[in-house]
Amino acid sequence: LELNLSVKGKPLSALPITVGYQHVSRKGTDNYSPKAIGNLYATASYQLYKELSVYVCANNILGQKYQYFAGVPALGFNFVGGISYCF
């Protein structure tokens, strides 16, 4: 079961912001019982020009410890940013 709730807003016309929560519950096996995943995230981008924007995305804001796959822990709080060019 996967549930994703998000709220999007634009405090400025060139600044869309999204805050969301992703919940994933999983079935286990006889030897492995995975915990549910709860990921609070936020994204923002700013349009500098018609074709150019910058963005940042923060994941696992609550710092949950979980594994997507057995033996492979997910990152703690992390963020990524970049530049987007559309032509």
Side-chain angles (χ1 to χ4, degrees):
L1 172 68
E2 183 172 342
L3 177 65
N4 194 349
L5 301 171
S6 63
V7 176
K8 298 178 182 181
K10 280 190 170 183
L12 302 172
S13 63
L15 181 67
I17 296 176
T18 302
V19 176
Y21 183 78
Q22 176 188 31
H23 176 83
V24 180
S25 60
R26 305 172 291 166
K27 287 186 175 181
T29 62
D30 293 337
N31 300 330
Y32 178 64
S33 178
K35 292 178 16 179
I37 296 171
N39 179 24
L40 179 64
Y41 62 91
T43 63
S45 63
Y46 185 76
Q47 190 170 5
L48 299 169
Y49 302 104
K50 182 179 176 184
E51 312 85 10
L52 186 67
S53 62
V54 294
Y55 66 90
V56 66
C57 179
N59 283 298
N60 199 6
I61 294 172
L62 299 175
Q64 300 289 321
K65 295 182 189 273
Y66 53 85
Q67 298 178 6
Y68 279 110
F69 305 103
V72 183
L75 295 173
F77 172 75
N78 63 86
F79 66 94
V80 65
I83 298 171
S84 175
Y85 181 78
C86 296
F87 54 93

